[in-house]
C-alpha cells in the first residue's frame, strides 16, 4: 500500500508540475494581438499589479457580480489557502513558526471550506441558470473537493490518524525513500482524492488559477495611444 | 436575495419592472433567429470563400487551433471558465429573451464544447463528462445563430472573475465561420463597400461633397454665419474621421454640425477625407485582424499621404472609437508623422471638452431647456476605450460636456451606466432588419432604465455618442413609448447651445431646428 501511494504521489506531482508548466508556457508564448483591457483600466504597470492583486485576493469582479457566489467562493478559497498552508507541517522537518501560528485556524478552516463548497453546489443544483451551464465534471469537481475536505476533517475530529507516521512518509518521499503509511481508510481516501486533484489540475477548469494572470482584459495596461503594441505575427504583415 | 436562488421573474420581457430583472429560462426562444447569409461576392471581397466549403469541418477545427496559437485571450478564456455562473444574468440579450444560450457562459460553451472535443484530453476521451461535442452541421448553424446574437458589448467581461470576454469568443467564432464560407450579410457587405468607396454607405466623393455643401448652407441659413465643412483639403491641421451616418441620417447629422461649429469657434483648420470617410470598422465585429487592418490603413494613407494633416480626431461612434483608441496605433501605426503634442487619435469630445475648459465656446445652455437629458454610455467607449488622461474619463468627459450645454441632466440607474452600461441592443453587427425582434428585446434593459428616469425626473431625451446606438434607438424607442427622435447626438446639444461669433441672437432664439425633427435612418 505504501509503495502504491508513493508511486501515485510521484506520478501526480510530475503530471501536475509538467502539465501545468506546459499550459503556463502556452499562455505565456501566445501573443495578445490587440490591447483589450476591460476599461476603465489602470494606465500604469503598477496599477495593473494592484488590479490583479485585488482580483486574486478579494475577488473584486466577482464581488461586483454576485454576492452569494462571492461569499461561498471566497469562503472556500480562503479556507483552502489556510488549510494548504497548514499542511506544510507534513513536509518540513521543523514546523515553520508561521505554520504553527495558523495551525489553530487551519484546523477549523476545513469546515469553512466544506460549507463554501456546499453553498456553491447547492446553487449549481438549485439556480436554474447555473444548473443549465453545468456539466457532470462540474459536479464531480465539487464532489472531489468536498471529499477531500470531509476525509481530512474526519482525521482531525472523528478518527485521528498517526500524523507522525504520515509526516515520516512524506518526508521520506522528499528524500526518495518509502516509509510505512498508516493503513487507515480515511487517510487513504484523503490522499487518493488529493492525488486525483493534482492529476486533473492541468487538464481541467482548475486552470483558472494560472489563467487569470494571463487574462488580457485584466493584465493589460491601458496605454495604446502612448505605446504601440504589436504581436510578432502581426508585425509580419507589415513586411 | 435568498442565498440559493436569485428569484427569477416569470416574464420580464414586457415593459415595466427593474431594468435588470432576471427572466426564467426560455429554452430555444431564439433558436430560429438567423441573420441573412453573406453574398458570395462580398465574402470573396473580404478574403473568404464564397460559400460553405466541402471540408468545412476540418478547416474550422484547424482554425480553432490556429486562433488558440495566435490569440492569448481566446486560449485562456476557453480554458479558464469555472462555470461559476456569475455572468449568467449580465447579458442584455439574455435579460431580454430568456434564452439560456444568450447567457455569456452558455454562448462561450457553444464553441468551448467543440474546442474541448478536439483539443483537450478530457474532451477527446470523456466527451460526456465535460460537455464536449462533435462539430456537426447543427452545431455550425447554432454558432451562426447565437454568435450573431452577441453585440460584443463586453458587459459580461466586467463581471467575470477572470475577465473572460465573450466578445472575444464571438469574434473568433465569426472568423472561424467566415473562414469556412459562412459569413453574415450585414457585416461583410459593409466591409466590402468600405474597401471600395471608403465608407459603409457606398457614398462616392461627389455625392459626399454635395451633401456637405448642403449642410454648410443649412448652418448659414440658421445662424447667418458661414461655417465650413471641408472635404479633402490638403494641408489642414486636423483630419476628422466620423461615421458615415453623420453625413445623412438624423440625429447623426446634427452631431456633425456640432463638430463643425466647435472647430469653427476653436479656429482650427480641419478636413474630412473622401478616401477615409468612415470611422466604423466592421473588421472588428467579424474578428478579422486583416480586414480591420486594411480598413485602418485607409486612415493612415489619408492622413499621411493624401492630406498631410497633423492631427486625427474621431467623431461620435462607439466601436469606431474602440478601434481608434485601442487598436489604431497597432493596426496602422506608428503615427510619428503627426503632432505628438496631441493624443493620437483624439476623440471629438476630448476636443470639445478642452475648448469648453479654455472658454473658447460661447454657450447658452437655455437653448436646450426643452430637453430633460440622460446619457447612454455606449459599450465600446465605456468598456473598451478611454477619453482624457484618467481611467474613467470616457464617463466623465461626455457628462461634463452635457452638463456644460444643458440645464437638465440626470443619470440612469448606476447598475446600467458607466462600466455596467447595458447595450443598445444593436451593436456588434446586429443592426439589420431581420434581427429586429432580438434588437427590441435586447434593448429592453436600457429602455426600462430610461423609463425609470422618465418617471423619477421627467427625462424626455437620451444622448449617445455612437452611430449604431443612435440608429438602433431611433428604431426601438417607439416600441417603449418614446418618439423616435428622443435620441440625440451629444454634439447636437453642443450645436444647439453654441452661439457662433457674429451670430444674431437678439431676435427670438428659437431652439435650432433639427433638434426636434424626426429622425430617419
Ligand atoms: S463569470 Fe466567467 S468563469 Fe464564471 S461562468 Fe461566466 S465566464 Fe465562466
Ligand atoms: S459581450 Fe455583451 S452581448 Fe455578448 S455575451 Fe457578453 S454581455 Fe452578451
Amino acid at each position: 500500500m505504501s509503495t502504491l501511494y508513493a508511486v501515485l504521489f510521484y506520478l501526480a506531482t510530475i503530471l501536475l508540475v509538467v502539465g501545468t508548466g506546459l499550459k503556463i508556457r502556452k499562455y505565456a508564448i501566445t501573443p495578445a494581438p490587440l490591447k483589450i483591457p476591460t476599461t476603465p483600466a489602470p494606465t500604469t504597470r503598477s496599477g495593473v499589479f494592484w488590479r490583479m492583486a485585488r482580483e486574486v485576493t478579494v475577488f473584486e469582479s466577482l464581488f461586483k457580480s454576485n454576492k452569494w457566489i462571492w461569499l461561498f467562493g471566497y469562503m472556500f478559497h480562503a479556507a483552502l489557502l489556510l488549510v494548504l498552508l497548514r499542511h506544510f507541517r507534513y513536509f518540513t522537518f521543523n514546523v515553520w513558526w508561521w505554520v504553527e501560528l495558523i495551525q489553530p485556524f487551519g484546523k477549523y478552516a476545513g469546515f469553512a471550506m466544506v460549507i463554501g463548497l456546499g453553498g456553491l453546489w447547492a446553487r449549481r443544483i438549485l439556480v436554474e441558470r447555473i444548473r443549465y451551464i453545468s456539466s457532470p465534471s462540474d459536479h464531480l469537481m465539487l464532489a472531489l473537493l468536498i471529499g477531500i475536505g470531509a476525509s481530512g476533517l474526519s482525521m482531525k475530529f472523528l478518527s485521528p490518524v498517526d500524523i507522525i507516521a504520515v509526516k515520516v512518509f512524506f518526508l521520506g518521499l522528499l528524500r526518495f525513500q518509502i516509509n510505512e503509511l498508516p493503513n487507515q481508510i480515511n487517510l487513504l481516501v484523503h490522499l487518493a482524492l488529493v492525488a486525483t486533484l493534482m492529476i486533473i489540475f492541468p487538464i481541467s477548469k482548475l486552470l483558472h488559477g494560472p489563467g487569470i494572470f494571463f487574462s488580457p482584459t485584466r493584465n493589460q495596461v491601458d496605454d495604446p495611444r502612448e505605446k504601440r503594441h504589436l504581436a510578432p505575427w502581426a508585425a509580419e504583415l507589415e513586411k | 436575495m435568498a442565498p440559493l436562488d436569485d428569484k427569477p421573474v416569470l416574464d420580464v420581457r414586457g415593459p415595466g419592472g427593474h431594468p435588470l430583472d432576471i427572466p426564467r429560462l426560455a429554452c430555444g426562444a431564439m433558436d430560429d433567429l438567423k441573420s441573412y447569409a453573406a453574398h458570395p461576392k462580398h465574402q470573396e471581397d473580404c478574403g473568404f470563400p464564397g460559400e460553405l466549403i466541402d471540408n468545412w469541418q476540418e478547416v474550422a477545427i484547424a482554425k480553432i487551433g490556429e486562433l488558440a496559437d495566435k490569440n492569448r485571450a481566446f486560449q485562456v478564456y476557453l480554458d479558464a471558465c469555472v462555470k461559476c455562473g456569475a455572468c449568467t444574468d449580465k447579458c442584455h440579450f439574455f435579460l431580454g429573451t430568456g434564452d439560456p444560450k444568450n447567457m455569456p457562459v452558455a454562448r462561450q460553451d457553444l464553441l468551448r464544447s467543440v474546442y474541448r472535443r478536439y483539443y483537450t484530453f478530457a474532451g477527446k476521451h470523456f466527451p460526456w463528462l465535460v460537455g464536449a461535442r462533435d462539430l456537426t452541421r447543427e452545431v455550425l448553424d447554432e454558432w451562426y445563430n447565437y454568435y450573431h446574437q452577441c453585440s460584443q458589448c463586453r458587459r459580461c467581461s466586467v463581471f467575470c472573475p477572470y475577465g473572460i470576454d465573450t466578445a472575444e469568443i464571438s469574434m473568433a467564432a465569426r472568423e472561424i465561420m467566415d473562414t469556412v464560407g459562412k459569413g453574415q450579410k450585414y457585416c461583410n457587405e459593409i466591409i466590402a463597400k468600405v474597401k471600395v468607396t471608403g465608407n459603409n454607405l457606398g457614398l462616392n466623393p461627389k455625392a459626399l461633397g454635395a451633401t456637405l455643401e448642403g449642410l454648410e448652407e443649412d448652418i448659414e441659413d440658421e445662424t447667418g454665419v458661414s461655417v465650413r465643412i471641408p472635404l479633402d483639403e490638403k494641408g489642414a491641421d486636423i483630419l476628422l474621421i466620423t461615421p458615415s451616418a453623420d453625413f445623412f441620417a438624423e440625429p447623426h447629422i446634427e452631431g456633425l454640425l456640432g463638430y463643425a461649429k466647435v472647430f469653427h469657434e476653436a479656429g482650427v483648420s480641419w478636413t474630412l477625407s473622401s478616401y477615409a470617410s468612415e470611422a466604423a470598422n466592421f473588421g472588428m465585429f467579424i474578428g478579422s485582424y486583416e480586414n480591420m487592418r486594411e480598413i485602418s490603413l485607409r486612415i493612415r494613407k489619408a492622413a499621411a499621404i493624401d492630406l498631410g494633416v497633423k492631427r486625427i480626431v474621431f467623431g461620435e461612434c462607439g466601436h469606431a472609437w474602440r478601434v481608434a483608441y485601442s487598436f489604431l496605433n497597432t493596426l496602422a501605426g506608428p503615427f510619428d508623422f503627426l503632432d505628438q503634442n496631441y493624443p493620437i487619435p483624439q476623440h471629438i469630445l476630448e476636443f470639445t471638452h478642452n475648448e469648453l475648459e479654455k472658454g473658447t465656446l460661447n454657450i447658452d445652455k437655455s437653448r436646450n431647456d426643452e430637453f430633460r437629458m440622460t446619457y447612454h454610455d455606449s459599450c465600446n467607449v465605456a468598456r473598451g476605450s478611454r477619453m482624457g488622461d484618467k481611467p474613467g474619463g470616457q464617463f466623465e468627459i461626455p457628462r461634463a460636456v452635457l452638463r456644460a450645454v444643458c440645464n437638465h441632466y440626470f443619470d440612469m440607474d448606476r447598475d446600467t451606466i458607466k462600466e455596467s452600461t447595458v447595450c443598445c441592443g444593436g451593436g456588434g453587427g446586429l443592426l439589420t432588419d431581420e434581427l429586429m425582434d432580438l434588437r427590441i428585446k435586447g434593448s429592453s434593459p436600457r429602455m426600462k432604465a430610461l423609463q425609470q428616469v422618465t418617471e423619477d425626473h421627467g427625462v424626455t431625451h437620451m444622448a449617445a455618442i455612437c452611430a449604431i446606438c443612435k440608429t438602433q434607438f431611433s428604431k426601438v424607442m417607439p416600441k417603449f413609448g418614446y418618439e423616435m427622435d428622443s435620441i440625440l447626438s451629444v454634439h447636437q446639444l453642443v450645436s444647439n447651445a453654441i452661439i457662433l461669433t457674429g451670430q444674431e441672437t437678439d431676435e427670438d432664439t428659437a431652439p435650432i431646428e433639427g433638434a426636434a425633427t424626426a429622425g430617419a435612418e
Side-chain angles (χ1 to χ4, degrees), chain A residues 62 65 69 124 130 133 208, chain B residues 77 80-88 90 103-106 108-109 112 156-157 159-166:
Chain A
L62 186 58
S65 187
I69 303 179
R124 201 173 278 295
I130 308 185
I133 58 168
H208 70 277
Chain B
Y77 296 160
C81 173
V82 296
K83 313 291 171 82
C84 70
C87 61
T88 52
K90 301 298 184 269
M103 300 190 296
V105 44
Q108 299 156 24
D109 275 347
R112 184 180 287 118
C156 44
S157 87
F159 293 100
C160 171
Y162 319 114
I164 295 178
D165 182 3
T166 316

Side-chain angles (χ1 to χ4, degrees), chain B residues 90-94 102-105 107 149-157 165-167 170 383 423:
Chain B
K90 301 298 184 269
C91 177
H92 53 290
F93 286 125
F94 170 67
N102 278 328
M103 300 190 296
V105 44
R107 196 187 309 285
Q149 294 187 36
C150 170
S151 56
Q152 307 177 338
C153 75
R154 315 182 90 206
R155 188 166 194 266
C156 44
S157 87
D165 182 3
T166 316
S170 89
R383 292 183 281 257
C423 174

Side-chain angles (χ1 to χ4, degrees), chain B residues 324-346:
Chain B
Y325 172 87
S326 294
F327 307 158
L328 196 67
N329 199 4
T330 298
L331 297 167
F335 288 99
D336 37 17
F337 57 90
L338 295 175
D339 187 340
Q340 305 296 314
N341 293 315
Y342 299 95
I344 305 167
Q346 190 173 30

Side-chain angles (χ1 to χ4, degrees), chain B residues 191-231:
Chain B
I191 294 173
K193 253 191 233 163
V194 81
K195 287 186 186 184
V196 179
T197 52
N199 57 63
N200 291 357
L201 301 167
L203 269 179
N204 64 42
K206 243 179 138 178
L208 181 57
T211 308
L212 298 179
E213 268 170 38
L215 294 176
E216 286 177 345
E217 280 163 23
D218 289 351
I219 301 184
E220 183 149 13
D221 289 349
E222 243 163 49
T223 63
V225 179
S226 149
V227 172
R228 301 213 44 226
I229 307 182
L231 179 67

Side-chain angles (χ1 to χ4, degrees), chain B residues 8 68 72 123 155 184 201 260 265 324 366 409 415 442:
Chain B
R72 182 187 292 165
R155 188 166 194 266
Q184 184 221 30
L201 301 167
E265 288 299 296
S366 68
Y409 177 82
D415 291 333

